[in-house]
Amino acid sequence: MKIGVLALQGDFAEHLAILKRLGAETAAVRLPGQLDELDGLIIPGGESTTIGKLAAHYGLIEPLRRFGQERAIWGTCAGAIFLAKDARRAKEGQPLLGLMDITVERNAFGSQVDSFETDLDVPALCSNGNCAPFHAVFIRAPLIESVQAGARVLASLPDGRIVVAREGRWLATSFHPELTGDDRFHAYFLKMV
Ligand code: GLN
């Protein structure tokens, strides 16, 4: 199984390290031709405006959309924004892949100083009766305001705000699962692939 991580901007190196640890073959993706050989792709956190602009510059937008019609994509934080059909408060002209039927709000928890960590219940990660909470790191994170069509909610904060959603082969997380040493989300994505 070969998994790519979009490596235009953001913390792609951390995702690559976890995937390798889990035994997947990996590729740091910067050009459209690299997509052909992949079974799945992670779009990391970073700055969604920058990721979108660089993706447009390198001719990746349409190839990524085609890739997502057939294969699995997981967007974390900025990557979740880039994957969404609707990103409220997105900068005008900010390129989005527009694949997943979710509405996200950028920077919904406030500015950088309002970043926080919390333990999340994620029933989809339970295995063999082990349902330990997932320690989630939110860095100037987006909120998944609502899910539409075939998208469903996989985890919310205690107040009901949605932070993980899945629609078929697409997964979106508001936070950074690559920063805590807990590789259960990456293992879950490999199973999806
Ligand atoms: N605030 C960033 C954005 O809007 C996302 C932050 C992140 O990926 N940690 O793109």
Side-chain angles (χ1 to χ4, degrees):
M1 184 152 33
K2 187 161 182 177
I3 310 294
V5 183
L6 193 64
L8 300 174
Q9 190 263 340
D11 64 344
F12 50 87
E14 288 81 354
H15 283 287
L16 288 166
I18 296 181
L19 291 169
K20 279 188 193 131
R21 205 164 69 220
L22 290 174
E25 227 189 303
T26 60
V29 175
R30 297 190 174 88
L31 295 169
Q34 292 177 279
L35 294 171
D36 298 340
E37 58 193 20
L38 301 178
D39 301 299
L41 180 78
I42 296 176
I43 304 175
E47 193 57 43
S48 60
T49 45
T50 309
I51 292 172
K53 278 183 196 161
L54 288 171
H57 182 77
Y58 289 106
L60 274 159
I61 300 280
E62 280 309 321
L64 283 171
R65 285 183 182 142
R66 282 197 296 275
F67 182 90
Q69 295 303 333
E70 297 163 357
R71 283 164 281 174
I73 301 185
W74 172 20
T76 63
C77 206
I81 298 168
F82 189 46
L83 195 55
K85 274 209 173 131
D86 188 357
R88 282 142 68 89
R89 294 212 312 201
K91 288 226 175 76
E92 209 178 315
Q94 174 177 346
L96 299 176
L97 291 184
L99 286 172
M100 197 169 165
D101 290 290
I102 53 175
T103 300
V104 299
E105 186 180 350
R106 290 186 65 203
N107 306 328
F109 298 94
S111 65
Q112 196 76 6
V113 292
D114 301 308
S115 297
F116 64 101
E117 301 184 17
T118 191
D119 284 338
L120 267 187
D121 282 326
V122 190
L125 296 183
C126 293
S127 80
N128 302 326
N130 178 5
C131 284
F134 192 92
H135 192 70
V137 179
F138 292 78
I139 305 172
R140 211 154 69 90
L143 178 67
I144 302 172
E145 237 181 59
S146 60
V147 300
Q148 299 90 31
R152 62 194 168 93
V153 176
L154 292 193
S156 308
L157 293 170
D159 63 9
R161 287 183 292 178
I162 304 164
V163 290
V164 185
R166 177 173 174 182
E167 181 176 14
R169 65 180 78 80
W170 304 319
L171 178 67
T173 47
S174 298
F175 49 89
H176 285 264
E178 73 287 4
L179 293 181
T180 47
D182 185 341
D183 55 25
R184 284 179 293 159
F185 260 106
H186 290 76
Y188 178 82
F189 182 64
L190 291 181
K191 265 192 237 150
M192 273 175 64
V193 173

